[in-house]
Amino acid sequence: MRFLKTLLIVLIIVSLTGNILYSEEKLKISYEQAFEFKGEKLLNPLPDILGWMDDTRYLLKEAKTLYLVDAKSGEKETLVDLTPIEKLVGKELEVDFISQVSPDLSRIDFIIDDNIYLLGIKSGKLEAVTDSENRPHNPTFSPDSKKLAYTEEGNLVVYDIEAKETLLLTNDGSGTILNGYCSWIYYEEIYGRLSYYKAFFWSPDSKKIIYNRFDQTGMEQFTLVALEGDYGRLEQTYYPKAGYAVPKTELRIVEIETGNTVSIAHNPAEDHYLAFPVWTKDSEEVYYQWMARDQKKLVVYKYNIAEDARYHIWREERDTWVDFLYDSDLTLLDDERLIVRSAKTGWHHLYLVSEEGATQLTDGAWQVDSVQYVSPETGDVFFTAYKEDSAEHDLYKVNIESKAITKLSNGKGYHDVSFSDGGSYILDTFEALNTPKKILLLDSRGIILKTVADEYSNAVEKYNLASFEIRKMKTADGTELPFIILLPKDMDPAKKYPVIMRVYGGPEAKSITNSFMNVRDQRVVWLYTAQQGIIQVWADHRGSGHHGKAGAEKMYKKLSEVELADYAEIAKHLKTLPYVDPDRIGINGGSYGGYIAVMAILLKYDQFKFASAIAPVTDWRWYDATYTERYMDTPANAEDAYKNTSALTYIDKYVKGLRIIHGIIDDNVHPQHTLEFVNKLMKTGKQFEMLIYPDQRHVFNKAARRLERRNELDYFMRMFFGKSLFEAAGK
């Protein structure tokens, strides 16, 4: 018995010692992993699924091979292997978008050396479409796969693939006239960056194209100087700042065979925006949106080509601003009724619109995000929403007739879904705050059929990593605000730790969701930052979307005021925590977040002693007209609002602690913002840091992002601990 007791004690000691050793042997993320993309990867790469090709198969890209994958069985059929073709032509070929593949799977388009080529998938032959010094843009197959449309030098062009003929559909393109190619303001603020400047749309019967024609005559140009050659290179862009002239636009419909063109024009003397045309199935009518320059009124029209007449279908007006119906915000049903996503009630909800009027399908203090699919058989509208919690993104369906809502997604977190063409299958990319992404295959009932891929890797078990946590707090007026906190692992209860608050701000620009927090692979940097003994907090404010459009409208003509008040309350809350050092709280942000960081160091120095601001707006008079006027009106109409929201107004309140960064060829938030602000700041004689990134735009390239992540952490470590990152890392 004594022997057994002794043996038991020895085993317990060995077991405990083993656990202690195991804990001590857990790895930390290295400097090289965080900033040089070297060393062990903590996540498995997800497959590069380009999109659905039909109701049962999706297109998968693996290295240089494209596969058609049967969703249910997982069987792969090789569509094309580009490797031997690359060797044959001596050019690198990339397929990044499903739109590059023709609908009939016979061809793929490429831009090589600034010219368009078509690859015959069966023949393996490359055919040159253009031979020009002028780079073409946005080659797009017709629905019947027989033609290819693109823009070149401001003109809209169609290439007849079978006849091998080029048809010039417009001939007035120039530096000021653009046909089917976005003026900058439409690219950035209306059609969006993922449009890649494309502003033309094929009819379903492949016989017509509707396109925007932009006239930039009378607009001002902003000049940037890029590093190129001995004298540099001038870049000039038609960029309307707040209150300045915006491009005149009209929608035109051109018939491919005859070249006949009709114009859908509105009063040219009245500034307005026209966008988002949607064809009817018979290609005889098109829906489009008209918005007033002040963005307080939106009208959806239906235009009948044969009658040359337009009809009002939907109208919205608000005292603050209305939003365009982007992408799936307007869904045309087979019977030509519409599903519209609108914030008319103060929350984004769905409406069924017909000639008889509009019926609201969803309601409540929650937000519909987007319509994903509408079943013509059952009348079910499938949509994603922040319903059960403003940080949880789920899949639901609502029946048009009964209005019954059913939740389909499984698991608390963030579900990003993609429906097959006929709605039989759903690819659900699921993630949560501490759960890496996994791709699930669901049926139309939301039942999980299988896991397609999982980002989780066993490698992560070897590391002693901190965990992210969503918390909520109430402000003095009772408004609930969510934030995410990342505490260093194994904190010393006797110590107090510094904090970096990471923000964006801005109206309806939600940052806090129950997702994996790995945008642009930054998670490893944030975990490395936690290892340095720094608490990190991500925060939203009442206007970011958690409280609907009604919450965002509190920001009208008061940009930064609402955000700063809420962020300051979160900072005050953090100071009540026993492990937070109240004198070492910094704030960090880029773009609009950079603006907030600058305003915080000027107006909330009692809460934020340090600020790192990337590409900040410093005066809204210098930002683009469409975005700025939406929330601020024009400088002429709202002089006080522009003064009160300008960082330049509060230069005399600056104490110290600012780091400001900008790319020298930023064509979105021009470096003018930083340089004008710094010019005034220098005259105060007070300390600040500035870093200019040569040859970088608003979104830095991968190498510059890596440098900036490193430089930002170095700044905060010097401010918090009096030592640099490089010293701490032995660099």
Side-chain angles (χ1 to χ4, degrees), residues 609-657:
K609 294 295 189 286
F610 313 100
S612 180
I614 304 174
V617 171
T618 59
D619 193 306
W620 288 105
R621 291 177 300 128
W622 300 328
Y623 195 54
D624 79 60
T626 306
Y627 183 93
T628 306
E629 292 171 15
R630 183 184 306 146
Y631 308 119
M632 292 284 290
D633 204 340
T634 63
N637 293 340
E639 184 179 351
D640 288 345
Y642 276 81
K643 179 181 178 181
N644 295 338
T645 57
S646 172
L648 276 65
T649 302
Y650 307 104
I651 289 283
D652 61 338
K653 295 184 179 296
Y654 179 69
V655 180
K656 61 180 179 180

Short mmCIF file of all heavy atoms in Angstrom, two decimals, residues 609-657:
data_model
loop_
_atom_site.label_atom_id
_atom_site.label_comp_id
_atom_site.label_asym_id
_atom_site.label_seq_id
_atom_site.Cartn_x
_atom_site.Cartn_y
_atom_site.Cartn_z
N LYS A 609 -3.85 59.92 -24.95
CA LYS A 609 -2.58 60.64 -24.88
C LYS A 609 -1.72 60.44 -26.12
O LYS A 609 -0.74 61.16 -26.33
CB LYS A 609 -1.79 60.20 -23.64
CG LYS A 609 -2.45 60.59 -22.32
CD LYS A 609 -2.49 62.11 -22.16
CE LYS A 609 -2.94 62.55 -20.78
NZ LYS A 609 -4.38 62.38 -20.55
N PHE A 610 -2.07 59.45 -26.95
CA PHE A 610 -1.28 59.16 -28.15
C PHE A 610 -2.24 58.83 -29.29
O PHE A 610 -3.31 58.27 -29.08
CB PHE A 610 -0.34 57.96 -27.92
CG PHE A 610 0.43 58.06 -26.63
CD1 PHE A 610 0.01 57.34 -25.51
CD2 PHE A 610 1.55 58.87 -26.53
CE1 PHE A 610 0.71 57.43 -24.31
CE2 PHE A 610 2.25 58.96 -25.33
CZ PHE A 610 1.83 58.24 -24.22
N ALA A 611 -1.83 59.19 -30.52
CA ALA A 611 -2.67 58.91 -31.69
C ALA A 611 -1.79 58.63 -32.89
O ALA A 611 -0.81 59.34 -33.14
CB ALA A 611 -3.59 60.09 -31.98
N SER A 612 -2.17 57.59 -33.64
CA SER A 612 -1.51 57.28 -34.91
C SER A 612 -2.58 57.34 -35.99
O SER A 612 -3.55 56.58 -35.97
CB SER A 612 -0.88 55.88 -34.86
OG SER A 612 -0.24 55.58 -36.08
N ALA A 613 -2.42 58.25 -36.95
CA ALA A 613 -3.45 58.53 -37.95
C ALA A 613 -2.90 58.31 -39.35
O ALA A 613 -1.94 58.97 -39.76
CB ALA A 613 -3.94 59.97 -37.81
N ILE A 614 -3.52 57.38 -40.09
CA ILE A 614 -3.11 57.09 -41.45
C ILE A 614 -4.08 57.74 -42.43
O ILE A 614 -5.30 57.56 -42.32
CB ILE A 614 -3.08 55.57 -41.71
CG1 ILE A 614 -2.18 54.87 -40.69
CG2 ILE A 614 -2.59 55.28 -43.13
CD1 ILE A 614 -2.20 53.36 -40.80
N ALA A 615 -3.56 58.50 -43.37
CA ALA A 615 -4.35 59.12 -44.45
C ALA A 615 -5.61 59.80 -43.93
O ALA A 615 -6.71 59.52 -44.41
CB ALA A 615 -4.70 58.07 -45.50
N PRO A 616 -5.47 60.71 -42.96
CA PRO A 616 -6.68 61.30 -42.38
C PRO A 616 -7.27 62.42 -43.24
O PRO A 616 -6.55 63.17 -43.89
CB PRO A 616 -6.15 61.89 -41.07
CG PRO A 616 -4.74 62.28 -41.39
CD PRO A 616 -4.24 61.21 -42.33
N VAL A 617 -8.59 62.51 -43.25
CA VAL A 617 -9.25 63.75 -43.67
C VAL A 617 -8.99 64.76 -42.56
O VAL A 617 -9.13 64.44 -41.38
CB VAL A 617 -10.76 63.54 -43.85
CG1 VAL A 617 -11.48 64.86 -44.06
CG2 VAL A 617 -11.04 62.58 -45.00
N THR A 618 -8.59 65.96 -42.91
CA THR A 618 -8.41 66.99 -41.87
C THR A 618 -9.35 68.17 -42.06
O THR A 618 -9.55 68.96 -41.14
CB THR A 618 -6.95 67.50 -41.83
OG1 THR A 618 -6.61 68.06 -43.10
CG2 THR A 618 -5.99 66.38 -41.47
N ASP A 619 -9.94 68.29 -43.26
CA ASP A 619 -10.95 69.31 -43.51
C ASP A 619 -11.88 68.78 -44.59
O ASP A 619 -11.43 68.44 -45.69
CB ASP A 619 -10.29 70.62 -43.96
CG ASP A 619 -11.27 71.79 -43.92
OD1 ASP A 619 -12.35 71.67 -44.54
OD2 ASP A 619 -10.96 72.81 -43.29
N TRP A 620 -13.18 68.71 -44.30
CA TRP A 620 -14.12 68.09 -45.23
C TRP A 620 -14.32 68.91 -46.51
O TRP A 620 -14.86 68.39 -47.50
CB TRP A 620 -15.46 67.83 -44.54
CG TRP A 620 -15.33 66.71 -43.55
CD1 TRP A 620 -15.27 66.80 -42.19
CD2 TRP A 620 -15.20 65.31 -43.86
NE1 TRP A 620 -15.10 65.56 -41.63
CE2 TRP A 620 -15.06 64.63 -42.63
CE3 TRP A 620 -15.19 64.58 -45.04
CZ2 TRP A 620 -14.92 63.24 -42.56
CZ3 TRP A 620 -15.03 63.21 -44.98
CH2 TRP A 620 -14.91 62.55 -43.75
N ARG A 621 -13.86 70.14 -46.54
CA ARG A 621 -13.92 70.92 -47.78
C ARG A 621 -13.05 70.30 -48.86
O ARG A 621 -13.26 70.55 -50.06
CB ARG A 621 -13.47 72.35 -47.53
CG ARG A 621 -14.40 73.18 -46.67
CD ARG A 621 -13.84 74.57 -46.41
NE ARG A 621 -12.56 74.51 -45.72
CZ ARG A 621 -11.46 75.13 -46.12
NH1 ARG A 621 -11.48 75.88 -47.22
NH2 ARG A 621 -10.33 75.04 -45.44
N TRP A 622 -12.08 69.49 -48.48
CA TRP A 622 -11.13 68.92 -49.42
C TRP A 622 -11.45 67.48 -49.80
O TRP A 622 -10.71 66.86 -50.56
CB TRP A 622 -9.71 68.99 -48.85
CG TRP A 622 -9.25 70.37 -48.56
CD1 TRP A 622 -9.59 71.51 -49.23
CD2 TRP A 622 -8.38 70.79 -47.49
NE1 TRP A 622 -8.97 72.61 -48.66
CE2 TRP A 622 -8.22 72.19 -47.58
CE3 TRP A 622 -7.70 70.12 -46.48
CZ2 TRP A 622 -7.43 72.92 -46.71
CZ3 TRP A 622 -6.91 70.84 -45.60
CH2 TRP A 622 -6.78 72.22 -45.72
N TYR A 623 -12.53 66.91 -49.24
CA TYR A 623 -12.86 65.55 -49.62
C TYR A 623 -13.93 65.55 -50.71
O TYR A 623 -14.51 66.57 -51.04
CB TYR A 623 -13.31 64.72 -48.40
CG TYR A 623 -13.30 63.24 -48.70
CD1 TYR A 623 -12.14 62.63 -49.18
CD2 TYR A 623 -14.44 62.47 -48.56
CE1 TYR A 623 -12.12 61.29 -49.50
CE2 TYR A 623 -14.43 61.11 -48.88
CZ TYR A 623 -13.25 60.53 -49.35
OH TYR A 623 -13.24 59.20 -49.68
N ASP A 624 -14.21 64.36 -51.27
CA ASP A 624 -15.05 64.31 -52.46
C ASP A 624 -16.50 64.72 -52.17
O ASP A 624 -17.03 64.52 -51.09
CB ASP A 624 -14.96 62.95 -53.15
CG ASP A 624 -15.79 61.85 -52.52
OD1 ASP A 624 -17.02 62.00 -52.44
OD2 ASP A 624 -15.22 60.82 -52.14
N ALA A 625 -17.12 65.28 -53.20
CA ALA A 625 -18.44 65.90 -53.06
C ALA A 625 -19.52 64.89 -52.68
O ALA A 625 -20.37 65.17 -51.82
CB ALA A 625 -18.82 66.60 -54.37
N THR A 626 -19.52 63.72 -53.31
CA THR A 626 -20.61 62.78 -53.09
C THR A 626 -20.65 62.29 -51.65
O THR A 626 -21.70 62.30 -51.00
CB THR A 626 -20.50 61.59 -54.06
OG1 THR A 626 -20.41 62.09 -55.40
CG2 THR A 626 -21.70 60.68 -53.95
N TYR A 627 -19.52 61.85 -51.13
CA TYR A 627 -19.48 61.37 -49.75
C TYR A 627 -19.74 62.52 -48.78
O TYR A 627 -20.58 62.43 -47.88
CB TYR A 627 -18.12 60.75 -49.45
CG TYR A 627 -18.01 60.15 -48.06
CD1 TYR A 627 -18.29 58.81 -47.84
CD2 TYR A 627 -17.63 60.94 -46.96
CE1 TYR A 627 -18.21 58.26 -46.57
CE2 TYR A 627 -17.55 60.40 -45.69
CZ TYR A 627 -17.83 59.07 -45.49
OH TYR A 627 -17.74 58.53 -44.22
N THR A 628 -19.04 63.61 -48.94
CA THR A 628 -19.09 64.69 -47.97
C THR A 628 -20.46 65.36 -47.92
O THR A 628 -21.02 65.59 -46.83
CB THR A 628 -18.01 65.74 -48.28
OG1 THR A 628 -16.73 65.10 -48.36
CG2 THR A 628 -17.97 66.80 -47.21
N GLU A 629 -21.01 65.67 -49.08
CA GLU A 629 -22.30 66.38 -49.10
C GLU A 629 -23.44 65.50 -48.58
O GLU A 629 -24.44 66.01 -48.07
CB GLU A 629 -22.60 66.85 -50.53
CG GLU A 629 -21.65 67.95 -50.99
CD GLU A 629 -21.81 68.27 -52.46
OE1 GLU A 629 -22.84 67.86 -53.06
OE2 GLU A 629 -20.91 68.92 -53.04
N ARG A 630 -23.28 64.19 -48.69
CA ARG A 630 -24.29 63.27 -48.15
C ARG A 630 -24.49 63.52 -46.66
O ARG A 630 -25.61 63.51 -46.16
CB ARG A 630 -23.84 61.83 -48.39
CG ARG A 630 -24.82 60.76 -47.94
CD ARG A 630 -24.21 59.39 -48.14
NE ARG A 630 -23.75 59.21 -49.51
CZ ARG A 630 -22.68 58.50 -49.87
NH1 ARG A 630 -21.95 57.90 -48.94
NH2 ARG A 630 -22.35 58.39 -51.13
N TYR A 631 -23.41 63.75 -45.95
CA TYR A 631 -23.47 63.87 -44.48
C TYR A 631 -23.32 65.31 -43.98
O TYR A 631 -23.58 65.57 -42.82
CB TYR A 631 -22.38 63.01 -43.84
CG TYR A 631 -22.38 61.59 -44.32
CD1 TYR A 631 -21.29 61.04 -44.98
CD2 TYR A 631 -23.51 60.78 -44.14
CE1 TYR A 631 -21.30 59.73 -45.42
CE2 TYR A 631 -23.53 59.47 -44.58
CZ TYR A 631 -22.42 58.94 -45.22
OH TYR A 631 -22.44 57.65 -45.67
N MET A 632 -22.89 66.22 -44.89
CA MET A 632 -22.55 67.56 -44.42
C MET A 632 -23.24 68.69 -45.18
O MET A 632 -23.13 69.84 -44.79
CB MET A 632 -21.03 67.77 -44.55
CG MET A 632 -20.19 66.93 -43.60
SD MET A 632 -20.22 67.56 -41.92
CE MET A 632 -19.27 69.06 -42.14
N ASP A 633 -23.96 68.37 -46.29
CA ASP A 633 -24.44 69.40 -47.21
C ASP A 633 -23.21 70.08 -47.84
O ASP A 633 -22.09 69.59 -47.70
CB ASP A 633 -25.35 70.39 -46.51
CG ASP A 633 -26.32 71.12 -47.46
OD1 ASP A 633 -26.05 71.14 -48.67
OD2 ASP A 633 -27.32 71.66 -46.99
N THR A 634 -23.37 71.19 -48.52
CA THR A 634 -22.24 71.86 -49.16
C THR A 634 -21.63 72.89 -48.22
O THR A 634 -22.30 73.36 -47.29
CB THR A 634 -22.68 72.57 -50.45
OG1 THR A 634 -23.63 73.59 -50.11
CG2 THR A 634 -23.31 71.59 -51.43
N PRO A 635 -20.38 73.27 -48.44
CA PRO A 635 -19.77 74.31 -47.60
C PRO A 635 -20.56 75.61 -47.61
O PRO A 635 -20.65 76.30 -46.59
CB PRO A 635 -18.38 74.49 -48.21
CG PRO A 635 -18.06 73.18 -48.84
CD PRO A 635 -19.38 72.68 -49.37
N ALA A 636 -21.16 75.94 -48.75
CA ALA A 636 -21.93 77.19 -48.83
C ALA A 636 -23.17 77.14 -47.96
O ALA A 636 -23.58 78.15 -47.38
CB ALA A 636 -22.32 77.45 -50.28
N ASN A 637 -23.78 75.95 -47.84
CA ASN A 637 -25.01 75.82 -47.06
C ASN A 637 -24.76 75.50 -45.59
O ASN A 637 -25.69 75.60 -44.77
CB ASN A 637 -25.89 74.71 -47.65
CG ASN A 637 -26.43 75.07 -49.02
OD1 ASN A 637 -26.48 76.24 -49.38
ND2 ASN A 637 -26.82 74.07 -49.78
N ALA A 638 -23.55 75.04 -45.27
CA ALA A 638 -23.29 74.57 -43.90
C ALA A 638 -21.91 75.02 -43.44
O ALA A 638 -21.08 74.22 -43.01
CB ALA A 638 -23.42 73.06 -43.83
N GLU A 639 -21.67 76.32 -43.51
CA GLU A 639 -20.35 76.87 -43.18
C GLU A 639 -19.91 76.51 -41.77
O GLU A 639 -18.77 76.10 -41.53
CB GLU A 639 -20.37 78.38 -43.37
CG GLU A 639 -19.02 79.04 -43.16
CD GLU A 639 -19.07 80.54 -43.38
OE1 GLU A 639 -20.11 81.05 -43.88
OE2 GLU A 639 -18.07 81.22 -43.06
N ASP A 640 -20.81 76.64 -40.80
CA ASP A 640 -20.46 76.36 -39.41
C ASP A 640 -20.14 74.88 -39.21
O ASP A 640 -19.23 74.52 -38.46
CB ASP A 640 -21.59 76.77 -38.48
CG ASP A 640 -21.71 78.28 -38.34
OD1 ASP A 640 -20.77 79.00 -38.73
OD2 ASP A 640 -22.77 78.75 -37.86
N ALA A 641 -20.91 74.01 -39.87
CA ALA A 641 -20.68 72.57 -39.73
C ALA A 641 -19.29 72.20 -40.24
O ALA A 641 -18.58 71.40 -39.62
CB ALA A 641 -21.75 71.79 -40.49
N TYR A 642 -18.88 72.77 -41.37
CA TYR A 642 -17.55 72.49 -41.91
C TYR A 642 -16.46 73.01 -40.98
O TYR A 642 -15.43 72.35 -40.78
CB TYR A 642 -17.41 73.09 -43.31
CG TYR A 642 -17.97 72.20 -44.39
CD1 TYR A 642 -19.34 72.18 -44.66
CD2 TYR A 642 -17.15 71.37 -45.14
CE1 TYR A 642 -19.88 71.35 -45.65
CE2 TYR A 642 -17.67 70.54 -46.13
CZ TYR A 642 -19.03 70.53 -46.37
OH TYR A 642 -19.55 69.71 -47.35
N LYS A 643 -16.68 74.16 -40.40
CA LYS A 643 -15.69 74.71 -39.47
C LYS A 643 -15.59 73.85 -38.22
O LYS A 643 -14.48 73.54 -37.75
CB LYS A 643 -16.08 76.14 -39.08
CG LYS A 643 -15.12 76.80 -38.10
CD LYS A 643 -15.56 78.22 -37.73
CE LYS A 643 -14.61 78.83 -36.71
NZ LYS A 643 -15.04 80.20 -36.32
N ASN A 644 -16.73 73.43 -37.68
CA ASN A 644 -16.74 72.67 -36.43
C ASN A 644 -16.17 71.26 -36.58
O ASN A 644 -15.76 70.66 -35.59
CB ASN A 644 -18.16 72.58 -35.88
CG ASN A 644 -18.71 73.94 -35.47
OD1 ASN A 644 -17.95 74.87 -35.21
ND2 ASN A 644 -20.03 74.07 -35.44
N THR A 645 -16.17 70.72 -37.79
CA THR A 645 -15.68 69.36 -38.01
C THR A 645 -14.28 69.32 -38.60
O THR A 645 -13.76 68.24 -38.89
CB THR A 645 -16.63 68.60 -38.95
OG1 THR A 645 -16.76 69.33 -40.18
CG2 THR A 645 -18.01 68.43 -38.33
N SER A 646 -13.66 70.47 -38.77
CA SER A 646 -12.31 70.54 -39.33
C SER A 646 -11.25 70.44 -38.25
O SER A 646 -11.31 71.15 -37.24
CB SER A 646 -12.13 71.85 -40.11
OG SER A 646 -10.78 72.01 -40.51
N ALA A 647 -10.25 69.59 -38.48
CA ALA A 647 -9.14 69.48 -37.53
C ALA A 647 -8.34 70.78 -37.47
O ALA A 647 -7.75 71.11 -36.43
CB ALA A 647 -8.24 68.32 -37.94
N LEU A 648 -8.33 71.55 -38.56
CA LEU A 648 -7.56 72.79 -38.58
C LEU A 648 -8.11 73.81 -37.59
O LEU A 648 -7.37 74.69 -37.11
CB LEU A 648 -7.56 73.39 -39.99
CG LEU A 648 -6.53 72.84 -40.97
CD1 LEU A 648 -6.78 71.37 -41.30
CD2 LEU A 648 -6.51 73.65 -42.26
N THR A 649 -9.38 73.71 -37.27
CA THR A 649 -10.01 74.64 -36.32
C THR A 649 -9.42 74.52 -34.93
O THR A 649 -9.42 75.49 -34.16
CB THR A 649 -11.53 74.38 -36.27
OG1 THR A 649 -12.07 74.53 -37.59
CG2 THR A 649 -12.24 75.33 -35.33
N TYR A 650 -8.89 73.34 -34.60
CA TYR A 650 -8.50 73.05 -33.21
C TYR A 650 -7.00 72.88 -33.03
O TYR A 650 -6.55 72.28 -32.05
CB TYR A 650 -9.23 71.79 -32.74
CG TYR A 650 -10.72 71.86 -32.95
CD1 TYR A 650 -11.34 71.16 -33.99
CD2 TYR A 650 -11.52 72.67 -32.15
CE1 TYR A 650 -12.70 71.24 -34.20
CE2 TYR A 650 -12.89 72.75 -32.35
CZ TYR A 650 -13.47 72.04 -33.39
OH TYR A 650 -14.82 72.12 -33.59
N ILE A 651 -6.22 73.42 -33.97
CA ILE A 651 -4.76 73.30 -33.88
C ILE A 651 -4.24 73.81 -32.53
O ILE A 651 -3.33 73.23 -31.93
CB ILE A 651 -4.08 74.10 -35.02
CG1 ILE A 651 -4.32 73.41 -36.37
CG2 ILE A 651 -2.60 74.29 -34.77
CD1 ILE A 651 -3.49 72.20 -36.63
N ASP A 652 -4.83 74.88 -32.02
CA ASP A 652 -4.32 75.48 -30.78
C ASP A 652 -4.57 74.60 -29.57
O ASP A 652 -4.00 74.84 -28.49
CB ASP A 652 -4.95 76.87 -30.56
CG ASP A 652 -6.46 76.81 -30.43
OD1 ASP A 652 -7.07 75.82 -30.89
OD2 ASP A 652 -7.05 77.75 -29.85
N LYS A 653 -5.39 73.56 -29.70
CA LYS A 653 -5.64 72.66 -28.58
C LYS A 653 -4.66 71.50 -28.52
O LYS A 653 -4.67 70.70 -27.57
CB LYS A 653 -7.07 72.10 -28.67
CG LYS A 653 -8.16 73.17 -28.51
CD LYS A 653 -9.55 72.55 -28.51
CE LYS A 653 -10.62 73.62 -28.33
NZ LYS A 653 -10.52 74.29 -27.01
N TYR A 654 -3.81 71.39 -29.53
CA TYR A 654 -2.87 70.26 -29.58
C TYR A 654 -1.83 70.37 -28.45
O TYR A 654 -1.28 71.45 -28.19
CB TYR A 654 -2.16 70.23 -30.93
CG TYR A 654 -1.15 69.11 -31.05
CD1 TYR A 654 -1.57 67.79 -31.11
CD2 TYR A 654 0.22 69.37 -31.08
CE1 TYR A 654 -0.65 66.75 -31.21
CE2 TYR A 654 1.15 68.35 -31.19
CZ TYR A 654 0.70 67.04 -31.25
OH TYR A 654 1.61 66.01 -31.34
N VAL A 655 -1.56 69.22 -27.81
CA VAL A 655 -0.55 69.16 -26.75
C VAL A 655 0.67 68.41 -27.25
O VAL A 655 1.75 68.98 -27.41
CB VAL A 655 -1.13 68.50 -25.48
CG1 VAL A 655 -0.07 68.44 -24.38
CG2 VAL A 655 -2.37 69.24 -24.99
N LYS A 656 0.51 67.14 -27.52
CA LYS A 656 1.59 66.31 -28.07
C LYS A 656 1.01 64.92 -28.33
O LYS A 656 -0.16 64.66 -28.08
CB LYS A 656 2.77 66.22 -27.10
CG LYS A 656 2.43 65.58 -25.76
CD LYS A 656 3.66 65.51 -24.85
CE LYS A 656 3.31 64.89 -23.50
NZ LYS A 656 4.48 64.80 -22.60
N GLY A 657 1.87 64.03 -28.88
CA GLY A 657 1.49 62.62 -28.98
C GLY A 657 0.95 62.16 -30.31
O GLY A 657 0.47 61.03 -30.43
#
